[in-house]
Amino acid sequence: MRYQLPTLRLQRAALLSATLLSSLLTACGGDEGPVDPLATYKAQALAWAPCDPDILGNGAQSTIRALGERLQCAQMRTPMNWSQPEQGDISVALMRLRSSNSEQRRASLILNPGGPGLDGLEQSLSLFRALRNSNPADAVGALQLQLLERYDMVGFSPRGTGSSTQLTCSSTAQEQYVDLSPRASALTDATLDAALYNLQKNSEACASNPLTPYINSDATARDMDLMRHLLGDEKLHYLGYSYGTWLGAWYAGLFPEKVGRMVLDSSVDFTATLDGLGMTQAVARLQDEVMLPYAARHPEIANLGTDVQALQSMTATLDPQLEYALGVRLSNQGYYRNTTELYPLTWLAARELQRLLPGPLPRDTPPDWDLLDEALDNHRLASNAQADALARAEAETLIAIMANNHPSRPRKPIELAASNATGLAVRCNDAPGVTDILLWKADIRTLAQQAPLHYMIGEIMRCTYWGGPSVQKPALDKLKPLDLLMVQSEYDTATATPGALRFFGQLDQARMVYVPEEHHHGLFPYAVQTTRDALKCVNRTVTLYLLGTSPSERTTTCQAEPKVWDAMTTKSSEPAGATAAFLHLEETEALLRQFRQGLQP
């Protein structure tokens, strides 16, 4: 069920009635003192009931049957405006997987998959289902099963999105076309003015929604504390990914005395803002230092030769529209290790598509994409049959990106669905953005020079016309004494590692699990289809921490799992007959792939 803002008149009437009743009780000898305006929220009883499969995504029906009464959903009333609760309620959707052993249950473990704007119901359920496939015969698998005994696993839809009260932003204004192809022509004032126009209209559309000022991390953190209270826990135990680390840090800054076990996996720099500029440099670094050398190590598969510098310069030979499509696709592939082998093949697909183009792609009229498809059908991309099939699929994806971004595509009215509207509101309400137009343009041009394939990912995360934050970020000092656990890979592109390490360096009592040479975003649980030391190191350390045992060392360094093609020539150090940490490996890998794909900002 989708909830919208209730009629404020009814809410105010209800509040007035409650206030009058409290006054009568006081006059009759009741408790003296001021009335807690949040008392009705704190006293509510959550009506746990079977979950609606329509809100839990693919596979929910069978999961609901398998879990039975252990899987429950509820709606929690919370103030729209925490500082003025008389303005009315909104609703926050909760889901919990109850402990598999009521005698061993210790508390609830609340999960947030990031975004901001991502729904924590379907995503959380995928993770919980994967953990249920842990192998009790394996030491790490047995520890992971203990998590499901000790905790009720809780996911929620943050305010603004999912099955909670939704924020949407719409306008009759038409979006303008923005040429984001990585060439000098895309950096004209006219192009950047079109981008600024769209940013302005997005901000104006959200400003017209009265809910917008209250979609921020401060309000969501307070929702989480109410959730903790209603779940009956003295402390909040938390597992946050990506933006969820920012949210967890915000909660810890507001309620340090209420923090229990808190894992921040793939951390945003809480000392900075949410503008995402670090992503651009991180994606370019992953490309030049990891992915292209990986392709060059395997010319027999990637069919790209062994010269990394030649690969780097190849993009300058591409049609601008194809170059843009390549940048978009590669930026999306940099998040997860299970797409590692696709990265070089996407590069190959772009090179071969360029060879098939009859000339520069027209801009005034749509190109004949069918003709390009036909030419692709008759062209072999790689000698390796499996690589050829994957590269062919990547070529089709690149064509689709070009078609969707072509200047002739009809323009649509400005409209942001709940996930995107919530993401924009949280970023801009939480922290200041660049408001100087000349500085904004200079930043974009600098990014284009530093990372021509990827600069466009920084363009969308600006709050130039927002009007400033609606909340004040908590001081970092409150976090310094806390026993937090951060988890980070060296080449994470969504939450750039230099920022994560800068944040970690200011937390005196925090611990970190660090995986060099890895780019995976959202590390826990790590590397399902393996029994290597990497999985044991990451999963064991994180699970033990959640169960109550913090690492003795400030930083635990874990060896990265070899990449797919490298693993073909790498001899496993595992003894014969070693057990895996998970059962049903293909199903579990699919569940975690679904979970991690949802972590993408």
Side-chain angles (χ1 to χ4, degrees):
M1 179 177 180
R2 304 296 186 188
Y3 287 79
Q4 299 299 326
L5 278 173
T7 304
L8 295 185
R9 184 179 299 172
L10 293 176
Q11 296 298 324
R12 290 168 180 152
L15 182 65
L16 178 61
S17 298
T19 304
L20 290 172
L21 177 60
S22 176
S23 300
L24 287 172
L25 290 174
T26 302
C28 294
D31 293 337
E32 296 183 0
V35 176
D36 182 359
L38 302 175
T40 58
Y41 298 105
K42 296 175 182 177
Q44 69 181 294
L46 297 176
W48 294 104
C51 296
D52 180 353
D54 291 339
I55 68 173
L56 295 182
N58 295 331
Q61 288 279 15
S62 60
T63 302
I64 290 173
R65 286 194 298 268
L67 296 175
E69 294 182 357
R70 285 184 59 201
L71 185 66
Q72 302 172 317
C73 289
Q75 292 284 341
M76 179 182 77
R77 288 189 307 108
T78 188
M80 178 181 72
N81 181 354
W82 274 94
S83 64
Q84 298 182 37
E86 69 275 7
Q87 290 187 8
D89 296 348
I90 63 172
S91 184
V92 173
L94 311 180
M95 176 197 68
R96 71 176 176 185
L97 176 63
R98 301 198 68 169
S99 163
S100 61
N101 186 334
S102 59
E103 295 182 357
Q104 294 293 322
R105 182 196 178 278
R106 162 181 161 180
S108 299
L109 179 64
I110 296 174
L111 182 139
N112 180 274
L118 297 179
D119 184 12
L121 299 188
E122 181 179 355
Q123 294 303 110
S124 299
L125 186 59
S126 297
L127 177 60
F128 301 162
R129 289 167 65 194
L131 289 173
R132 286 182 66 241
N133 285 343
S134 296
N135 184 0
D138 176 79
V140 175
L143 283 174
Q144 292 169 172
L145 289 173
Q146 283 188 40
L147 286 179
L148 302 183
E149 290 183 344
R150 303 287 177 84
Y151 290 105
D152 290 343
M153 312 296 279
V154 178
F156 69 104
S157 298
R159 56 169 58 206
T161 194
S163 296
S164 295
T165 300
Q166 290 194 350
L167 173 72
T168 58
C169 304
S170 60
S171 167
T172 58
Q174 300 285 312
E175 65 176 6
Q176 292 188 7
Y177 175 74
V178 181
D179 182 0
L180 291 175
S181 56
R183 297 292 174 91
S185 61
L187 301 176
T188 64
D189 280 337
T191 294
L192 296 182
D193 286 344
L196 286 166
Y197 172 86
N198 291 341
L199 290 177
Q200 182 178 12
K201 293 306 175 183
N202 283 337
S203 297
E204 290 174 356
C206 286
S208 66
N209 191 322
L211 183 58
T212 296
Y214 312 110
I215 303 300
N216 54 64
S217 295
D218 192 86
T220 301
R222 295 177 191 278
D223 293 343
M224 287 166 51
D225 196 59
L226 177 61
M227 198 183 307
R228 173 202 60 76
H229 169 76
L230 297 178
L231 291 169
D233 295 334
E234 293 185 5
K235 302 281 187 179
L236 180 125
H237 305 283
Y238 180 77
L239 173 58
Y241 294 84
S242 195
Y243 158 75
T245 66
W246 173 282
L247 177 61
W250 199 296
Y251 178 92
L254 291 178
F255 308 105
E257 73 285 356
K258 297 296 184 181
V259 174
R261 312 309 281 172
M262 180 172 283
V263 175
L264 307 179
D265 190 330
S266 306
S267 290
V268 178
D269 182 2
F270 196 64
T271 68
T273 67
L274 287 171
D275 64 10
L277 290 180
M279 293 174 61
T280 302
Q281 292 91 340
V283 173
R285 180 174 173 239
L286 175 69
Q287 169 190 296
D288 294 339
E289 297 183 19
V290 178
M291 292 302 194
L292 294 186
Y294 175 58
R297 289 198 301 271
H298 300 281
E300 74 287 356
I301 302 176
N303 196 28
L304 289 169
T306 59
D307 188 339
V308 173
Q309 189 172 1
L311 289 176
Q312 291 171 332
S313 61
M314 183 203 79
T315 58
T317 68
L318 301 179
D319 184 277
Q321 295 180 60
L322 178 56
E323 192 177 12
Y324 164 78
L326 176 63
V328 170
R329 184 62 174 160
L330 294 180
S331 296
N332 289 333
Q333 287 177 351
Y335 295 109
Y336 312 111
R337 70 168 14 261
N338 59 328
T339 59
T340 301
E341 70 274 21
L342 292 180
Y343 198 104
L345 297 178
T346 303
W347 211 272
L348 172 65
R351 186 190 71 182
E352 297 304 302
L353 281 176
Q354 181 63 43
R355 292 175 176 177
L356 294 173
L357 291 179
L361 289 169
R363 298 179 59 82
D364 297 333
T365 59
D368 191 339
W369 304 116
D370 291 338
L371 188 62
L372 187 56
D373 277 330
E374 290 177 10
L376 182 63
D377 289 340
N378 298 316
H379 183 73
R380 189 167 183 83
L381 284 73
S383 56
N384 179 292
Q386 184 179 12
D388 182 77
L390 291 172
R392 193 170 301 280
E394 288 302 301
E396 295 286 356
T397 300
L398 293 177
I399 293 173
I401 294 173
M402 288 190 288
N404 186 61
N405 186 63
H406 194 266
S408 65
R409 183 174 63 88
R411 300 297 104 196
K412 298 178 180 179
I414 297 291
E415 184 172 3
L416 298 177
S419 178
N420 292 332
T422 299
L424 178 62
V426 170
R427 287 189 181 96
C428 298
N429 282 333
D430 276 12
V434 176
T435 57
D436 186 314
I437 300 302
L438 294 179
L439 179 59
W440 185 92
K441 291 183 177 181
D443 281 349
I444 294 298
R445 289 178 170 127
T446 299
L447 289 175
Q449 291 177 347
Q450 294 175 344
L453 267 184
H454 308 292
Y455 80 94
M456 75 287 293
I457 64 176
E459 183 271 332
I460 62 172
M461 296 182 182
R462 297 304 185 98
C463 306
T464 307
Y465 297 100
W466 197 261
S470 64
V471 290
Q472 178 67 44
K473 185 168 61 172
L476 193 65
D477 290 347
K478 298 290 184 66
L479 281 70
K480 292 185 176 182
L482 300 180
D483 178 17
L484 311 176
L485 180 66
M486 296 174 64
V487 186
Q488 191 71 27
S489 62
E490 180 180 6
Y491 288 97
D492 191 326
T493 58
T495 51
T497 303
L501 295 179
R502 183 165 52 248
F503 178 35
F504 175 64
Q506 299 185 56
L507 302 179
D508 300 335
Q509 300 303 314
R511 300 290 185 267
M512 174 174 280
V513 176
Y514 184 65
V515 186
E517 301 182 19
E518 180 59 88
H519 67 278
H520 205 52
H521 180 63
L523 279 167
F524 175 77
Y526 184 56
V528 168
Q529 297 201 49
T530 181
T531 57
R532 297 179 187 275
D533 291 340
L535 177 147
K536 293 180 178 178
C537 181
V538 174
N539 290 13
R540 182 176 184 275
T541 305
V542 174
T543 305
L544 281 174
Y545 169 84
L546 287 172
L547 292 173
T549 302
S550 300
S552 57
E553 301 293 329
R554 177 152 165 81
T555 300
T556 300
T557 302
C558 298
Q559 176 186 351
E561 177 71 6
K563 294 176 176 55
V564 176
W565 296 342
D566 290 341
M568 296 177 182
T569 57
T570 302
K571 184 177 180 180
S572 174
S573 62
E574 290 294 326
T579 59
F582 290 91
L583 304 171
H584 317 299
L585 295 182
E586 290 187 5
E587 176 190 73
T588 305
E589 181 62 42
L591 288 169
L592 287 180
R593 185 180 301 116
Q594 179 181 347
F595 170 69
R596 289 186 174 113
Q597 286 173 346
L599 300 181
Q600 183 172 325

